[in-house]
Amino acid sequence: MSFSFSPEELVAIGLSLKVALWAVVASTPVGVLVALLLARCEFWGKSLVNGLVHLPLILPPVVTGYILLLLFGRRGPLGEFLEASFGIVFAFRWTGAALAAAVMGFPFLVRAVRLSIEAVDRRLESAAGTLGARPAWVFLTVTLPLSVPGLLAGMTLMFGKALGEFGATITFVSNIPGETQTLPTAIYAFTQVPGGEAQALRLVLVSVAISLAALMLSEVFARRLARRVVAA
C-alpha cells in the first residue's frame, strides 16, 4: 500500500482539522460558562440543563444531525434568521460540519471543565473575595487558572471527538468533497467505490494516529489535574 496521499485525501484531512479546530475554539467560552454554572450554582432546572448538555452522548448522532437540520437549515427558524441577518449559512457548508462537531463534542468539554472547577478549593476563592475581588475577577484570577489542566483535557477530548464525528455531520451537511467531506465521511465514500480500499485504509491510519495522540495528551492533562487535587 502506498502512503502517497491523493489531493482528495489531503483536502479531507485538512478540512477535518479545520472543522475540529473551529468546533473547539467556538465552543470553549460557552463550555466554560456552562461548566461554571453547573459546578458553582444551584438553581431550579439544573438537572434539566445538565441533561440537555449531555444529551448528544445518548441520542443517535443521526437524530442530532436531523435536529440541527431542522433548526439551522436554510428554512429552519435559526438558519433563516442567521442567513438573513448576518449572512451565516450552516446547511451543506463546512461551518455546518463544525457546528455538528461542536454539538457532539460539547459534553466532553463541559464535563472535564466542571470536574476541574469542582476540584478547586473554595477557600481560595473565599479568600480572594474577602480581599475585595469581585466574583468575575475571582473566577479569572483564581478558579480558571487552577482549572487549566481540566480545560485542556476537555478541549483535547473534544478535538478528538470532533475529528471523528460522522452521523450528525453527514445528516446535517451531507458528504460534499472539498466542502463538507471530513475524514469519516471520506472513509465511508471510499469504501463504497471499487478500488477505494487503499485510500480508505490510509485515512483510517491517519484518524487512528490523530485520535490516539489526542487521547494520550488528554491523559497527561488529567494526571496533572489529579496531582493538583491530591496536593491540595
Side-chain angles (χ1 to χ4, degrees):
M1 182 188 67
S2 172
F3 281 92
S4 178
F5 294 99
S6 67
E8 187 177 4
E9 294 171 71
L10 293 175
V11 169
I13 294 171
L15 183 61
S16 293
L17 295 173
K18 177 182 177 181
V19 164
L21 181 62
W22 275 104
V24 172
V25 170
S27 299
T28 296
V30 180
V32 170
L33 291 178
V34 172
L36 178 64
L37 182 70
L38 294 175
R40 288 290 188 257
C41 300
E42 293 296 332
F43 55 92
W44 185 89
K46 180 177 179 179
S47 296
L48 177 61
V49 173
N50 186 58
L52 290 174
V53 167
H54 292 87
L55 194 59
L57 294 178
I58 307 300
L59 284 177
V62 173
V63 174
T64 303
Y66 185 66
I67 293 174
L68 289 175
L69 184 61
L70 292 177
L71 293 175
F72 292 94
R74 287 184 176 272
R75 296 187 178 181
L78 296 178
E80 188 174 6
F81 169 76
L82 290 173
E83 183 176 6
S85 301
F86 306 103
I88 300 175
V89 178
F90 287 107
F92 308 109
R93 301 282 181 87
W94 74 267
T95 50
L99 176 61
V103 171
M104 295 302 296
F106 194 69
F108 295 92
L109 174 66
V110 172
R111 183 165 183 80
V113 178
R114 178 183 179 180
L115 292 175
S116 186
I117 292 175
E118 289 176 343
V120 174
D121 192 341
R122 297 294 294 268
R123 292 173 297 181
L124 297 175
E125 298 174 326
S126 299
T130 58
L131 294 174
R134 296 180 180 274
W137 188 247
V138 172
F139 173 72
L140 291 175
T141 58
V142 178
T143 310
L144 186 59
L146 292 175
S147 304
V148 166
L151 174 61
L152 294 177
M155 292 173 67
T156 306
L157 280 176
M158 183 179 181
F159 180 84
K161 174 61 179 175
L163 199 67
E165 172 49 38
F166 175 78
T169 301
I170 200 169
T171 304
F172 182 35
V173 295
S174 190
N175 185 18
I176 306 171
E179 181 64 38
T180 66
Q181 189 177 76
T182 57
L183 274 171
T185 56
I187 292 171
Y188 173 78
F190 285 134
T191 59
Q192 303 304 304
V193 297
E197 293 82 2
Q199 292 171 299
L201 182 56
R202 282 196 293 267
L203 293 183
V204 165
L205 294 176
V206 171
S207 298
V208 171
I210 297 177
S211 298
L212 185 59
L215 286 173
M216 293 175 66
L217 191 59
S218 174
E219 182 66 18
V220 170
F221 294 137
R223 288 181 180 179
R224 288 184 180 180
L225 175 62
R227 285 198 296 267
R228 181 174 62 77
V229 172
V230 171

